[in-house]
Amino acid sequence: MINLVSQSLQWLGMITLQRLTLLGRAGLMLPKALLVWPSSQAFERLLQQLYIVGVQSMLIMLVSSLFIGAVLGLQGYTVLVDFGSEEAVGQLVALTLVRELSPVVAALLFVGRAGSALTAEIGLMKVTEQLASLEMFGVDPLHRIIAPRFLAGLIALPLLTTIFSIMGIYGGHIIAIEWLGVYSGSYWGNMQQSVSFDADIMQGVVKSLVFAVVVTWIALYQGYAAHPTAKGISVATTRTVVLASLVVLGLDFLMTALMFGR
Amino acid sequence: MSGKGVIALEKLTYYRGQKLIFEQLDLVVETGKITAIMGPSGCGKTTLLRLIGGQLQPYSGTIHILGKDLQQLNRRELSRLRSRMGVLFQSGALFTDLNVFENVAFPMREHGNLTEEQLSEQVLLKLDAVGLRSARHLFPAQLSGGMARRIALARAVAMNPEVVFYDEPFAGQDPIATTAVMRLIQSLAQAQGHTSVLVSHDLAETCAIADHIILLGHGRMLAQGTPTQLLASEDPVVQQFTRGEVDSMMPLCDPI
Amino acid sequence: MNKPWLEISVGTFIVAGIAALLMLAVQVGGYHLNRSTDTYRLTALFDNTAGLAVRAQVTLSGVTIGKVVAIRIDKNQLMARVDMDIKAEIDYLSLDSTASILTSGLLGEKYIGITVGAEEASLKHGDQIADTQSALVLEDLIGRMLVNMTQ
């Protein structure tokens, strides 16, 4: 019995130490990557990554935001019409999107669209010895490969999130006004009265910034630490998607509790 | 340090995890020759190249390259030392987001301060040396395996290095490509006068071009000598490797 | 190495993102750029502010002229003290103005309606509106109606 307890304690300690080491390594990666004097070439690389991570994610964000906004409008209307306050549908759509759905859904889509690609790309660079080869040319792969991708993720996701919000609100607008016949003035008027720039919009932006850091960081670290085999890359990609999605949802709850909880 | 050769390992010990890879390994590579490091798969040949390139730290022992003690160097000095070495990686390791021209130009852009014209001239010269000038606008994904390796070779010698390392240059190549790479290794070594270190398990090809062969196994040096000496060796361990006998006194190394 | 389409598309992306933020601010948040800069503060004491919230509108004849910034208890008089920020250009509220808490629609939000009096002098920053009318509480209303009916 005592043996069993001591064994499980030992196991627990070992697991904890392993996790902490991993976290430490992942933590060290970022400052190492970012502590470098930027050059014009670095700017060019950042631009390229912004294209891959940001511009190429636009389509999926636009389409899904329109649909999510439309569904919110439809669902909100059917509930609100019972209380005779269907003009509040604009407020409902806007608040739901700006506070919660845009940061979270945009981050989740970003994980799937860009995060997994980042992990796979860097993992493959490791397998094909491109990272080792950079090192042999006296170039730090953290600076050359990790840093521009991290910055691109950091810039792209908040922008994608705001685009997501505005497009979602227009999606709701299309449904509520064109289809269900809510008066356009009350759709926007109610919204403007109840959505506050500092309390709602900016906090959504803060959320998306936090998600951007966490998601990009996880994706890059998983790729960088991937076991350099085909299996290793597939494991790392899966881990990126699962881990980043869970962390986004967990952090969202935490931040909502801190920002809007009483 | 001179007189000890281009590369000198002394009492090198290295562990990967719990597994002992090298134990008290002493090894010298002489200037200007083509030296081959051979051994069965999984005996740490690639690890040895990584150690020599300073990408891995030995557990104990010293590594001298081009007269410098690797452990004594800071990052900047290591980077400068690396610019005097060229490496041909097993997979070629061409940068997939750059075309052939930019791949060969990469080390020159990083280390040299050439004008665009000088750079272009140098790159085309290196591409001529491997006979692939016409492929300069292609991307690595568009190249055959043999072509990719020749481009990687052009990139490895782009900075006119003093030592060039080849990691399994013949692995996975068709006979024609293998011969082409063999000829290139020899002709480049002659033309540029650099020392070549070749890591391989392809006995026939290696014996054809190497001046000196070092046979590794079990973390130690099993034998060394010219190809003729090695092939004529009476040592059963050497014979097992040269003749490819499976059932013998030397157990095969664990794959990693 | 020169790829103008790449630079153009990334530029467009960033402009679109910033434009989206601006649209959120102006069209969704109702943010006015000169909002916080020129306002002046008025206070009013109410018996009952039931349902009035911070950020509620302050209107004059139905036109928004400011917003509620704080609601708390005045310890000396044991009444609710409401602070309002009024736009600076509305500098003609007379000293004897009335502030009443009103409801938009039957179940809508509470807001403050100001009715201007006859006095020449107008309210300045930090002034207090003396004449107030508290929120209508539904239960009181029903109670009073019942009393009237039984009489």
Side-chain angles (χ1 to χ4, degrees), chain A residues 127-130 132-140 144, chain B residues 55 75 82 89-91 93-96 106 110-111 155:
Chain A
V127 174
T128 54
E129 295 172 304
Q130 291 182 50
S133 165
L134 276 177
E135 222 166 79
M136 283 309 294
F137 290 132
V139 175
D140 190 336
R144 185 60 54 93
Chain B
Q55 295 180 300
R75 280 182 73 90
R82 278 171 176 168
F89 284 92
Q90 199 167 341
S91 57
L94 293 175
F95 301 127
T96 37
F106 186 88
E110 287 306 320
H111 290 287
R155 189 180 65 174

Side-chain angles (χ1 to χ4, degrees), chain B residues 150-179:
Chain B
R150 275 149 73 194
I151 301 293
L153 190 52
R155 189 180 65 174
V157 298
M159 293 297 288
N160 298 325
E162 291 162 59
V163 202
V164 182
F165 299 99
Y166 302 92
D167 189 359
E168 300 284 4
F170 314 121
Q173 300 280 306
D174 65 68
I176 299 170
T178 304
T179 317

Side-chain angles (χ1 to χ4, degrees), chain A:
Chain A
M1 188 62 199
I2 291 171
N3 209 1
L4 192 73
V5 169
S6 77
Q7 261 178 11
S8 43
L9 276 179
Q10 188 189 356
W11 177 81
L12 188 71
M14 194 182 75
I15 295 283
T16 314
L17 280 181
Q18 275 176 0
R19 293 291 128 152
L20 281 179
T21 321
L22 211 67
L23 200 67
R25 264 192 223 140
L28 276 178
M29 184 183 82
L30 273 193
K32 265 193 200 162
L34 296 176
L35 283 178
V36 63
W37 199 248
S39 63
S40 65
Q41 280 174 331
F43 181 72
E44 210 165 280
R45 282 190 285 275
L46 174 64
L47 220 59
Q48 187 140 20
Q49 289 309 317
L50 266 176
Y51 177 76
I52 295 170
V53 163
V55 176
Q56 292 189 347
S57 305
M58 279 285 277
L59 189 65
I60 188 178
M61 295 285 175
L62 289 180
V63 173
S64 32
S65 61
L66 274 175
F67 275 108
I68 286 181
V71 165
L72 277 177
L74 205 53
Q75 289 282 13
Y77 180 84
T78 45
V79 173
L80 289 171
V81 80
D82 288 346
F83 299 98
S85 38
E86 63 268 22
E87 64 273 13
V89 70
Q91 169 183 354
L92 183 134
V93 169
L95 279 183
T96 324
L97 277 172
V98 167
R99 282 184 180 175
E100 285 298 332
L101 279 185
S102 293
V104 171
V105 176
L108 292 181
L109 289 173
F110 189 78
V111 169
R113 171 66 185 76
S116 56
L118 283 178
T119 306
E121 187 194 16
I122 290 175
L124 211 61
M125 282 185 174
K126 199 173 177 185
V127 174
T128 54
E129 295 172 304
Q130 291 182 50
L131 297 184
S133 165
L134 276 177
E135 222 166 79
M136 283 309 294
F137 290 132
V139 175
D140 190 336
L142 286 175
H143 294 164
R144 185 60 54 93
I145 304 294
I146 302 291
R149 282 164 178 76
F150 181 74
L151 284 180
L154 196 63
I155 295 169
L157 184 52
L159 292 179
L160 288 169
T161 304
T162 51
I163 292 172
F164 194 104
S165 293
I166 212 78
M167 290 311 289
I169 289 168
Y170 272 105
H173 176 270
I174 291 168
I175 289 295
I177 286 143
E178 309 294 333
W179 195 24
L180 299 170
V182 174
Y183 174 53
S184 166
S186 44
Y187 184 87
W188 293 107
N190 254 313
M191 195 187 290
Q192 285 171 8
Q193 257 179 54
S194 53
V195 178
S196 126
F197 183 75
D198 316 314
D200 299 316
I201 296 173
M202 280 328 275
Q203 297 202 351
V205 172
V206 168
K207 273 187 181 180
S208 73
L209 267 172
V210 173
F211 293 157
V213 171
V214 173
V215 165
T216 322
W217 182 19
I218 289 176
L220 292 174
Y221 181 72
Q222 289 295 344
Y224 194 68
H227 206 264
T229 58
K231 178 111 192 288
I233 292 177
S234 95
V235 168
T237 314
T238 312
R239 249 191 224 155
T240 294
V241 173
V242 174
L243 193 64
S245 306
L246 287 180
V247 168
V248 163
L249 293 172
L251 274 180
D252 180 57
F253 174 73
L254 202 69
M255 282 193 286
T256 304
L258 284 178
M259 287 171 178
F260 303 107
R262 309 205 158 176

Side-chain angles (χ1 to χ4, degrees), chain C residues 92-111:
Chain C
Y92 38 73
L93 301 177
S94 63
L95 271 181
D96 58 347
S97 292
T98 315
S100 19
I101 296 178
L102 304 169
T103 311
S104 63
L106 190 61
L107 296 168
E109 287 198 1
K110 296 274 195 293
Y111 65 98

Side-chain angles (χ1 to χ4, degrees), chain B residues 63-79:
Chain B
I63 303 172
H64 281 94
I65 300 168
L66 298 166
K68 300 261 167 58
D69 184 343
L70 215 54
Q71 274 95 300
Q72 306 288 315
L73 301 179
N74 60 30
R75 280 182 73 90
R76 185 177 295 261
E77 289 167 330
L78 183 64
S79 166

